Amino acid sequence: MRPPRLNPLFATVRSLKGVGPKVEGMLNKLVAPRHEGAYARVIDLLWHAPVSIIDRPVAPRVADARIGEIATLEVTVTEHRPGGGRRYAGPRAPYRVLVEDRSGAALELVYFNADANYLKRLLPVGSRRLVSGKLESYDGWLQMPH
């Protein structure tokens, strides 16, 4: 018999603040024991620990970010460039959004198979946004492909 002070660990996840029926259903699929009638318990969440993290510190300027590493930048959207260009032609060309930071350093956000209307609503010209991704260099441009 377990000590009474351990009982909260064996309560259903529904007993946790913020866990309703929808989240409880997802947690039952994710961490519950694999037998009929099983349900997720608080202790099951403790054994389901993350295996890694991605550090996304905000870099103050594009110039401070390193090529090949994940960067999070605060930028202003300056221009939308629908597909096309020298090397790409046709409807499968990537959609590019030109952004710049406060110092004026430019960067392209590159979207493949993108919906132009969605990107124009998501990133209106003149808006300030935080963007995060792997910084790359292509054809003389700094890019962040998505």
Side-chain angles (χ1 to χ4, degrees):
M1 184 164 170
R2 83 175 68 97
R5 67 183 204 200
L6 293 180
N7 284 341
L9 289 175
F10 292 90
T12 66
V13 291
R14 185 77 180 269
S15 66
L16 298 172
K17 183 179 179 181
V19 177
K22 188 174 181 181
V23 173
E24 180 186 29
M26 289 188 285
L27 289 173
N28 282 339
K29 289 180 183 177
L30 181 66
V31 298
R34 305 278 186 228
H35 58 80
E36 190 67 32
Y39 55 89
R41 302 165 301 175
V42 174
I43 196 165
D44 295 326
L45 292 177
L46 295 175
W47 292 114
H48 194 77
V51 294
S52 67
I53 62 168
I54 297 174
D55 187 19
R56 294 184 186 267
V58 177
R61 300 181 321 150
V62 171
D64 295 338
R66 294 189 198 144
I67 294 174
E69 293 184 5
I70 293 176
T72 303
L73 306 164
E74 186 176 354
V75 295
T76 303
V77 178
T78 57
E79 183 183 344
H80 284 257
R81 296 178 178 172
R86 293 183 306 174
R87 295 183 184 203
Y88 298 103
R92 295 186 51 101
Y95 190 94
R96 299 167 191 271
V97 179
L98 185 64
V99 298
E100 61 184 30
D101 65 3
R102 290 181 194 255
S103 69
L107 170 76
E108 280 185 335
L109 305 178
V110 181
Y111 294 89
F112 298 92
N113 301 319
D115 177 10
N117 292 327
Y118 170 75
L119 289 175
K120 287 177 183 177
R121 283 191 316 270
L122 182 68
L123 302 166
V125 173
S127 64
R128 296 196 57 75
R129 296 288 190 259
L130 280 175
V131 295
S132 186
K134 187 173 180 181
L135 194 64
E136 297 179 358
S137 177
Y138 178 76
D139 203 19
W141 279 93
L142 287 177
Q143 295 184 338
M144 194 175 285
H146 289 84

